[in-house]
């Protein structure tokens, strides 16, 4: 899902463009240039004594005590919030144009955090320093340890101000980063025995079993994963993305882009003109729910409206960058299970 210019289509740039689904989306995404201030203090950790955490780069962060001034990518902050850990600052899609919480902000009160940057390549280093951060936490969409939404141009300055933790969301199933976020939250003082937490994990497991049964009962149902920009439609492959790899392991029959097409994007997706949006046949379509992508209700292309799955009303949202708490991952699994259960064969 990672930015470079259109002249240099790095993996990072391609991923940022559409969650592994297209460069056009990020080029058209917009937001305020000024970071937004919030007045919330970080919730204190119940942990006392030294704090140590080994991240998915193999880097071990050691502090004299559990971090209190936490700054995190918005989606990471949203996951930690579900576990009772609040952050001081965030970076990444946090508020929409109308000031409401972005889908990636989850249940956080975005008015109570300092937003250091709301769009790609936006990160206010001065405000970051003013927060006196103990640690910066983000996800990683490659195997090189690149911290998501930390700008290339300022990453060295940012790195000098506080140690960082990276959680990998690259080429593995959803359950792996879910477990890592669980471990991180626990290390920060979250009560992982709380009923809300344990019940959410049970609901996720039940939803996963429901999806497994649905996929087994209807193996003929083909699911296409897409993302829309004004110029192009992007079809995602089922490899590399944590949600799709997990759903595929549960038996979901995904439409796959051609290997030749995926080579140009590091294996992530295929770009199609709107005239060729019917290249792949599908019974269910999952569409990128992030604010950087055009949502199905706003797509005006006639070729889109003529797709059998669209005409049949068999289009659902996809959490392209899942918030990594069990609570937030229940709904996407249940939605796909229900879509397959109800789907008619239209391809």
């Amino acid at each position: 899902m990672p930015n470079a210019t259109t002249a240099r289509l790095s993996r990072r740039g391609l991923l940022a463009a559409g969650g592994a689904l297209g460069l056009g989306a990020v080029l058209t995404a917009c937001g305020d240039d000024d970071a937004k201030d919030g007045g919330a203090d970080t919730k204190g950790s119940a942990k006392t004594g030294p704090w140590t955490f080994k991240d998915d780069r193999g880097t071990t962060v050691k502090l004299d005590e559990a971090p209190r001034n936490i700054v995190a990518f918005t989606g990471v902050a949203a996951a930690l919030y579900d576990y009772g850990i609040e952050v001081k600052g965030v970076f990444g899609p946090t508020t929409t144009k109308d000031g409401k919480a972005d889908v990636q902000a989850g249940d956080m009160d975005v008015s109570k955090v300092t937003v250091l940057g709301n769009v790609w390549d936006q990160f206010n280093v001065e405000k970051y320093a003013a927060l006196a951060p103990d640690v910066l936490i983000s996800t990683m969409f490659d195997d090189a340890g690149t911290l998501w939404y930390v700008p290339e141009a300022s990453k060295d300055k940012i790195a000098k101000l506080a140690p960082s933790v990276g959680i990998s969301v690259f080429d593995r199933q959803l359950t792996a980063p879910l477990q890592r976020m669980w471990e991180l939250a626990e290390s920060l003082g979250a009560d992982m025995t709380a009923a809300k937490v344990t019940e959410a994990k049970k609901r996720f497991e039940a939803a996963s079993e429901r999806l497994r049964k649905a996929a087994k009962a209807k193996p003929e149902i083909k699911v296409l994963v897409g993302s829309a920009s004004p110029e192009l439609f992007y079809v995602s492959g089922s490899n590399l993305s944590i949600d799709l790899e997990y759903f595929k392991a549960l038996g979901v029959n995904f439409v796959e882009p051609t290997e030749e097409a995926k080579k140009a994007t590091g294996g992530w997706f295929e770009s199609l003109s709107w005239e060729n949006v019917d290249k792949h046949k599908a019974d269910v379509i999952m569409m990128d729910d992030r604010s950087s992508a055009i949502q199905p209700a706003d797509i005006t292309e006639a070729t889109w409206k003529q797709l059998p799955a669209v005409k049949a009303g068999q289009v659902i949202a996809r959490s392209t960058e899942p918030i990594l708490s069990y609570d937030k991952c229940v709904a996407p699994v249940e939605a796909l299970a229900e879509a397959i259960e109800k789907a008619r064969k239209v391809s």
Side-chain angles (χ1 to χ4, degrees):
M1 308 194 234
N3 177 2
T5 64
T6 53
R8 298 190 320 174
L9 298 183
S10 66
R11 176 181 295 171
R12 182 176 171 86
L14 289 165
L15 293 178
L21 296 178
L23 185 58
V26 78
L27 295 178
T28 58
C30 60
D32 295 333
D33 289 334
D34 295 330
K36 181 178 179 182
D37 288 326
D41 289 331
T42 303
K43 188 174 184 178
S45 169
K47 294 280 188 178
T48 57
W51 181 78
T52 299
F53 188 83
K54 185 175 182 180
D55 75 358
D56 291 337
R57 298 169 299 184
T59 299
T60 300
V61 178
K62 296 181 179 180
L63 299 174
D64 292 338
E65 60 181 6
R68 299 175 63 86
N69 294 353
I70 302 170
V71 173
F73 171 67
T74 303
V76 170
L80 292 175
Y81 183 89
D82 285 349
Y83 291 130
I85 303 296
E86 297 182 20
V87 307
K88 270 202 168 182
V90 297
F91 54 94
T94 307
T95 59
T96 57
K97 294 178 184 178
D98 58 7
K100 295 180 180 179
D102 188 274
V103 65
Q104 294 191 63
D107 293 332
M108 281 194 302
D109 183 345
V110 295
S111 70
K112 294 183 178 180
V113 292
T114 297
V115 181
L116 303 173
N118 200 52
V119 298
W120 185 258
D121 255 357
Q122 183 186 89
F123 192 113
N124 192 312
V125 180
E126 289 72 23
K127 287 187 177 181
Y128 177 57
L131 292 175
D134 294 320
V135 68
L136 178 148
I137 309 171
S138 191
T139 49
M140 302 181 296
F141 280 92
D142 60 27
D143 53 9
T146 306
L147 295 173
W148 192 226
Y149 267 79
V150 173
E152 185 71 22
S154 54
K155 67 176 184 179
D156 292 340
K157 291 181 180 179
I158 294 168
K160 292 177 180 178
L161 294 171
S164 62
V165 167
I167 301 297
S168 179
V169 288
F170 175 69
D171 196 17
R172 61 201 62 205
Q173 293 182 27
L174 177 60
T175 45
L178 271 174
Q179 178 61 30
R180 292 294 284 143
M181 192 62 69
W182 175 290
E183 293 167 0
L184 176 60
E186 186 173 36
S187 78
L188 293 169
D191 180 4
M192 310 312 282
T193 64
K196 178 182 177 181
V197 174
T198 57
E199 288 171 6
K201 188 172 184 180
K202 289 178 181 177
R203 287 190 292 113
F204 174 80
E205 291 168 349
S208 298
E209 184 57 27
R210 178 183 176 184
L211 179 55
R212 187 194 304 276
K213 290 179 179 178
K216 184 176 181 180
K218 288 189 172 182
E220 73 280 5
I221 297 300
K222 295 181 179 180
V223 179
L224 181 146
V225 182
S227 184
S229 77
E231 297 82 14
L232 297 169
F233 183 82
Y234 308 98
V235 178
S236 179
S238 61
N239 292 328
L240 304 183
S241 297
I242 55 173
D243 60 330
L244 304 186
E245 287 203 10
Y246 183 56
F247 298 158
K248 182 171 65 174
L250 292 175
V252 175
N253 181 8
F254 282 111
V255 173
E256 298 287 352
T258 64
E259 290 303 316
E260 183 179 1
K262 287 196 297 182
K263 283 181 181 179
T265 64
W268 287 95
F269 59 90
E270 176 180 8
S271 304
L272 296 175
S273 66
W274 283 103
E275 290 76 13
N276 294 315
V277 74
D278 61 352
K279 175 180 177 180
H280 301 288
K281 308 304 178 184
D283 305 296
V284 173
I285 300 176
M286 300 175 66
M287 290 294 289
D288 188 348
D289 71 350
R290 295 174 303 167
S291 54
S292 58
I294 300 176
Q295 297 306 300
D298 299 319
I299 299 175
T300 58
E301 300 290 341
T303 48
W304 162 262
K305 294 180 179 180
Q306 291 304 310
L307 292 177
V310 175
K311 293 173 71 174
Q314 296 177 174
V315 178
I316 64 172
R318 175 202 176 195
S319 296
T320 307
E321 292 185 52
I323 293 173
L324 296 172
S325 70
Y326 284 102
D327 179 70
K328 291 300 181 292
C329 286
V330 172
V333 181
E334 287 184 335
L336 181 54
E338 182 178 9
I340 294 174
E341 289 166 353
K342 295 181 177 179
R344 293 185 292 112
K345 183 68 178 175
V346 294
S347 65

